[in-house]
Amino acid sequence: MPSSFLSRCARAAGALALLLSATPLPAQLPPLISRDILFGNPERASPKLSPDGQRLAWVAPDKRNVLQVWVKTVGKDDDKMVTADKKRGIRQYFWAEDNKTLLYQQDNDGDENFHVYGVDLASGNVRDYTPFQGVRAEVADVNPDFPDEILVEANIRNRQLMDVHRLSLKTGALTLDTENPGDVAGWGTDAKFQVRAAQAQTPDGGTEIRVRDDVKAPWKSLLKVGPDEILEFEDFSKDGGSAYLKTSIGSDTARLVERNLATGAEKVLAVSPEVDAGGVVIHPKTHVVQAVSFAPGRATWKVLDPSVQADFDAITKLHSGDFGIVNRTSADDAWLVGFTSDRGPVTWYKWDRTAKKGTLLFTAQPKLEGLALAEMKPVAIKSRDGLTLNSYLTLPVGVAPKNLPMVLFVHGGPWGRDSWGYSSYAQWFANRGYAVLQTNFRASTGYGKKFLNAGNKQWGLKMHDDLIDAVDWAIKQGIADPKKVAIMGGSYGGYSALAGVTFTPEKFACSVDIVGPSNLKTLIASIPPYWKPLRATFDVRMGNVDDPKDAELVKNASPLFKADKIVRPLLIGQGANDPRVNVKESEQIVDAIEKNKGSVTYVVYSDEGHGFARPENRIDFNARSEKFLAACLGGRFEPMEGDKIPGSTAVVKVVGK
């Protein structure tokens, strides 16, 4: 552990002794794992091989603890920091195919208006390729056969629409390539690096895949489905004559198919009756589908290309976790592979395809190794109306799983899912003495269209019932103490935390909301302009805030209007610059609680957006959260010195305490 942590513990010995005397600790629990280890910056993370395989890049903190991109020559110790981000840290970067340029994206204090930057590795010069105020830009695609160009999506022409631009890495010239007609949410390119596919959102909330024969040809509809179906474009075949799609047409789960553009004939490449097709590995030059993942609980790979079967078989034996291919060299003689495990840090290997040998590169958090981490166990829970809620249960190490305090940790989206693997939050809660339950409630993705659509217009209704059913399952199993269950989450999970203390005001002992919406009508009114093509999805799945027929539904599903029902302790965390869930979402429910003579603690961070990217802010809020949970549930916590973590921008408002 870092010396700073040890010194803090020494100075806080008196406070800790008082805590121990007030709340007896089970002697069987392992030592506290510091928040710095759990939620601080990784020591090294996100490695990527250069296309020629000569260099390795990764992100790691600088002397100020800000994440930067570093580069070294493979086989040498010439590590060099090549970026100089001032505060937020870099989390998204890419190798350009020219082997000379490193690309990265960065926004301003969490506003998500990312710029695309390029680092010339020879000179060290950094260039902002998209220096437009109020514009969101992102790397859309690279192609090994076009090393001097990249494609960039940006809303320069119209803030509501993401057009495709072609960027010359040599000159920096940014040229409009393909205009968004107004409804396109995503684009696809062919082997010739031409934009030939568009995934559009239809007015009824459905999806249309459009293709064109070349960039001069008109667009034509390939497939068009209603909102009840799953349809996603993945890639074109090498010759451009077929498209790889994920589709649920004619089945419940989404399968991967190859569809002939001329005849419409389809060939099923991979399917599971349990879950939708997940990650798809496609060779960047041959455009052959090599493998598809499926994850009902843990993830497994279905290998489709015999040329990589031996690689997948051997890689599986490197590590006990679940793996994915991060990137590969242009010669395809080396892969960079990442493993996730429930009881250890993310680990990366360089895989030599010729020698069939893996070389350990590093792990994200070496200080986690050897600690008593908890197992994450997939469990299946039945909802009251018979749906299967695939969930993950994490129990504290060293104590009997009987009548424990529990945290229901709810994922965001809601059109996302919880997955097996390392979770700093699950390990944190378990280490503090709590059982942790993560539930894929209806509307979660990955489990077929019936399960997804069962959540339509069920915010605060059956989606919330699923969470209650999961808690009741844990109580019935004897795992959870019914009087000591907390609910916590971010984004939609934050909404669920607010719903928990308003719709079911006495079910939970306390609630922690992170960037959760409180009023669905104002949520939609303040979403980013470039979400325009996605608005129809919200209308179908959440409810149309502008349709009088849905007015009562939307209002009843908004915790704001039941703020007077709150009787349990509530903690709210918010980023001031959040473009998805505006800061007003938190402010208005705090105001309503105050008007109703209730109580809440509200923490806002002036330099954050949708979640807390800076470790100082992340650790600060979690320090407050664990002390809050300890007061509600009786678990352990690591004391925090002073009013806030040094470097944090926390501003705290306490109402009715």
Side-chain angles (χ1 to χ4, degrees), residues 350-583:
K350 180 184 176 185
W351 177 250
D352 185 326
R353 294 198 65 213
T354 303
K356 294 294 185 282
K357 179 182 178 182
T359 302
L360 175 65
L361 294 177
F362 49 76
T363 63
Q365 287 283 29
K367 291 173 184 174
L368 286 171
E369 295 174 5
L371 299 181
L373 300 179
E375 176 186 8
M376 178 184 283
K377 182 180 178 182
V379 294
I381 300 169
K382 285 294 182 183
S383 71
R384 65 190 67 180
D385 57 353
L387 294 181
T388 298
L389 309 175
N390 289 279
S391 307
Y392 297 91
L393 177 67
T394 305
L395 298 174
V397 175
V399 297
K402 301 288 185 182
N403 207 39
L404 295 169
M406 188 177 83
V407 177
L408 179 68
F409 192 52
V410 187
H411 71 69
W415 310 298
R417 61 162 287 183
D418 281 313
S419 299
W420 183 89
Y422 176 73
S423 165
S424 56
Y425 282 86
Q427 294 299 334
W428 174 46
F429 296 137
N431 180 259
R432 272 42 174 174
Y434 309 124
V436 189
L437 187 59
Q438 297 169 267
T439 295
N440 286 311
F441 47 87
R442 71 190 68 203
S444 299
T445 55
Y447 292 97
K449 64 187 180 187
K450 291 179 183 176
F451 192 77
L452 172 65
N453 291 311
N456 289 353
K457 297 187 178 181
Q458 293 300 314
W459 288 45
L461 298 171
K462 291 182 180 179
M463 289 165 69
H464 188 64
D465 288 346
D466 288 347
L467 298 176
I468 300 301
D469 292 347
V471 171
D472 289 344
W473 171 87
I475 293 169
K476 187 176 180 180
Q477 295 291 316
I479 295 167
D481 180 341
K483 295 181 179 179
K484 293 186 177 181
V485 178
I487 183 170
M488 178 174 177
S491 195
Y492 179 85
Y495 163 85
S496 292
L498 294 176
V501 290
T502 52
F503 304 155
T504 48
E506 297 188 3
K507 184 68 178 181
F508 298 98
C510 55
S511 171
V512 181
D513 153 36
I514 304 171
V515 297
S518 63
N519 181 349
L520 303 189
K521 188 175 180 67
T522 54
L523 167 71
I524 296 302
S526 62
I527 59 175
Y530 47 83
W531 280 24
K532 176 179 178 287
L534 302 176
R535 168 63 193 272
T537 297
F538 283 89
D539 293 346
V540 169
R541 302 206 182 282
M542 188 192 77
N544 188 339
V545 301
D546 297 322
D547 187 341
K549 295 179 182 178
D550 284 348
E552 186 176 357
L553 173 80
V554 168
K555 184 175 182 179
N556 287 338
S558 299
L560 176 65
F561 302 107
K562 295 181 176 63
D564 61 322
K565 304 294 186 184
I566 297 174
V567 294
R568 301 299 197 204
L570 173 62
L571 173 64
I572 297 176
Q574 177 70 48
N577 308 308
D578 191 340
R580 306 186 191 196
V581 177
N582 191 279
V583 65

